[in-house]
Amino acid sequence: MKYLVIKCGGSVLDNLPRSFFEDVVKMHQFGEWAPIIVHGGGPLITSLLKSLNVETKFVNGLRVTDHQVLDVVEMVLSGSVNKQVVRNIAEVGGSAVGISGVDGGLLKAVPTENAKTLGFVGEVVEVNQSIIKGIIYQGYIPVISPVGVDSGGQRYNINGDIAASAVAKALEANLCFISDIPGILVEKNGIKTKLDKVSKVIIEEMIDNQTIYGGMIPKVKAAIDGLVHNIPEVGIINGFEKNSLIDYSNGKCVGTKIVLEEVIA
């Protein structure tokens, strides 16, 4: 059995069609791939913070997180969003178990190197694989909320892309980012075209020249970090296209594939 970590950002999660969850369930039922969903919930967190009159700031696509923001992050991610994904899977005939990175020390975290600026934002240093594998072997799809915890019980807000990459690294799984666009787009002569494949070097150039910016930065950085640490393959695909996930898992040319080095034939 091969593992596929599927990262769904909060911005696309609200609008993903029924067909996406049907694809996840089909993949689970076929048995060749074991899907594992890691989700975000950024827009809902921002909306709730706004209604509570709590200011929210971002630095390089990461949310600055103090105690008050952390409470809201956990409530939204591990409560509302996590259980919504589990329900969406149930609605199309699948079975999922929703957990957070705090449960069983699933995502062991330490403060990010920019902790002075970002507050309680963490990096994953260890993934308790046995919890994920246990859920899979019992016949369920794991749905993971990216809130981590350290050995002293302190919670950390983990960027969903970074959490997904950490889970994929631990399981040596393929990693697939679900987007509302076909992949990484570049503009040539005023026309946006999709890159079928892009290397680490090109990605770094695109970050430098700001072709890639904002929330896409943690995504591609997490992808590259994963590839360096034995993730076989990373893809960015459009979750709104029917069968895109199935096509991707079958090796078809879907979305953008991120690789360490371009192989010149």
Side-chain angles (χ1 to χ4, degrees):
M1 184 192 291
K2 295 181 285 187
Y3 299 108
L4 178 63
V5 176
I6 302 163
K7 164 58 185 21
C8 299
S11 54
V12 299
L13 206 48
D14 288 345
N15 302 308
L16 277 173
R18 185 181 174 95
S19 63
F20 169 78
F21 296 100
E22 287 171 344
D23 282 356
V24 172
V25 171
K26 274 183 208 163
M27 184 186 293
H28 185 238
Q29 289 169 345
F30 291 160
E32 184 186 352
W33 289 90
I36 299 151
I37 294 178
V38 178
H39 64 80
L44 190 55
I45 293 167
T46 301
S47 169
L48 188 51
L49 287 170
K50 192 173 180 182
S51 70
L52 295 169
N53 292 318
V54 177
E55 189 183 3
T56 187
K57 295 181 204 164
F58 289 87
V59 176
N60 291 329
L62 299 174
R63 187 187 302 274
V64 177
T65 307
D66 61 15
H67 280 293
Q68 193 175 14
V69 172
L70 190 56
D71 283 342
V72 172
V73 164
E74 185 167 45
M75 183 166 58
V76 170
L77 290 177
S78 304
S80 304
V81 179
N82 190 269
K83 300 315 166 198
Q84 180 62 57
V85 176
V86 171
R87 288 197 303 275
N88 287 342
I89 290 168
E91 282 171 9
V92 295
S95 297
V97 170
I99 53 172
S100 93
V102 174
D103 297 321
L106 173 61
L107 300 179
K108 188 177 177 186
V110 295
T112 183
E113 58 184 24
N114 295 329
K116 282 186 179 175
T117 306
L118 292 169
F120 295 105
V121 173
E123 293 172 5
V124 181
V125 290
E126 195 178 317
V127 175
N128 188 339
Q129 299 177 45
S130 62
I131 295 176
I132 299 171
K133 289 178 178 176
I135 291 168
I136 291 167
Y137 291 148
Q138 288 176 58
Y140 298 98
I141 299 166
V143 178
I144 300 169
S145 152
V147 179
V149 66
D150 68 14
S151 51
Q154 172 61 53
R155 300 164 299 164
Y156 290 93
N157 181 11
I158 312 282
N159 172 270
D161 300 326
I162 292 166
S165 179
V167 171
K169 279 190 287 187
L171 295 168
E172 294 191 6
N174 280 19
L175 174 59
C176 187
F177 293 106
I178 303 302
S179 184
D180 54 359
I181 55 173
I184 296 176
L185 303 174
V186 292
E187 197 167 306
K188 288 180 182 173
N189 304 321
I191 299 167
K192 285 191 174 179
T193 56
K194 176 178 75 75
L195 297 174
D196 290 335
K197 188 185 280 188
V198 63
S199 70
K200 174 179 181 287
V201 171
I202 300 298
I203 290 255
E204 286 166 349
E205 284 176 8
M206 291 168 79
I207 292 172
D208 287 343
N209 65 27
Q210 297 184 344
T211 303
I212 291 175
Y213 58 91
M216 186 61 92
I217 292 175
K219 203 179 289 323
V220 295
K221 283 189 170 177
I224 290 167
D225 179 62
L227 290 166
V228 170
H229 292 92
N230 299 325
I231 293 179
E233 186 178 297
V234 181
I236 298 176
I237 68 167
N238 188 348
F240 293 79
E241 287 179 9
K242 193 172 171 62
N243 295 325
S244 62
L245 195 58
I246 299 290
D247 287 345
Y248 172 79
S249 67
N250 287 333
K252 294 185 181 175
C253 183
V254 180
T256 298
K257 192 181 288 185
I258 301 172
V259 294
L260 270 184
E261 296 174 9
E262 292 281 10
V263 176
I264 300 169

